[in-house]
Structure formats: C-alpha cells, structure tokens
Amino acid sequence: MQRGKQGFSVLRYLIYFSQVGFTVITPPVLCCFGALWLRNRFNWGNGVVIAGILLGIAVAACGLRDFLRFTERKARESAEKEKEL
C-alpha cells in the first residue's frame, strides 16, 4: 500500500511542476500577443507592448504566489495528517 501512495506522490509533484510552468509562462505570452494585436490594430506605439509585458509579468507573479501558498497549505495539512497517525 505504501508503494502506491509514493507513486501518487510523484505524480502529484509532476502535476505541480507542470502547473507552475503553465502559470508562469502563459500570462506574459498572452499579454504580449494581446499588446501586439492592439498595437497593429489601432496603430498605437511600442509603449502598449511594454505595458502588456509588464502586466503579464505581474499576473504571472500573482499566480505563482497563489500557487506557492496553495502548496504550502497542502504540505502543512499532510504533515498534520502524518502527525495524527
């Protein structure tokens, strides 16, 4: 039974790792493409692209912070469960 739990633990960490990558990469890429579209569509300057990149980085940082809080809470809960056993 312990071996199965360890397999799920590895899978859980793999999912966490891919989630961090998705959380950090997606917002800057989408904001950059959105800013490029706005620049080309409305003939705005390069300032909108810089603002889009900065907005994407800020959103990625907030998402990463929330994810780290979530994993910390889950680790605390699992440590409490192990203490009870």
Side-chain angles (χ1 to χ4, degrees):
M1 192 67 112
Q2 183 70 15
R3 190 174 193 169
K5 287 183 180 181
Q6 186 179 9
F8 285 125
S9 177
V10 171
L11 183 61
R12 182 182 319 132
Y13 290 128
L14 181 62
I15 291 169
Y16 285 169
F17 183 72
S18 62
Q19 180 66 35
V20 167
F22 186 75
T23 301
V24 171
I25 296 298
T26 304
V29 169
L30 290 178
C31 287
C32 185
F33 282 130
L36 288 171
W37 179 81
L38 285 172
R39 185 188 69 178
N40 293 335
R41 172 80 175 168
F42 299 110
N43 293 325
W44 290 350
N46 289 332
V48 73
V49 176
I50 294 170
I53 291 170
L54 292 176
L55 178 67
I57 290 171
V59 170
C62 289
L64 182 61
R65 182 197 65 203
D66 292 343
F67 178 76
L68 290 175
R69 285 182 181 172
F70 168 77
T71 55
E72 182 181 2
R73 185 177 61 236
K74 285 292 189 181
R76 218 177 306 126
E77 288 173 1
S78 66
E80 289 175 3
K81 282 184 181 179
E82 287 180 7
K83 270 187 176 180
E84 291 175 0
L85 296 177

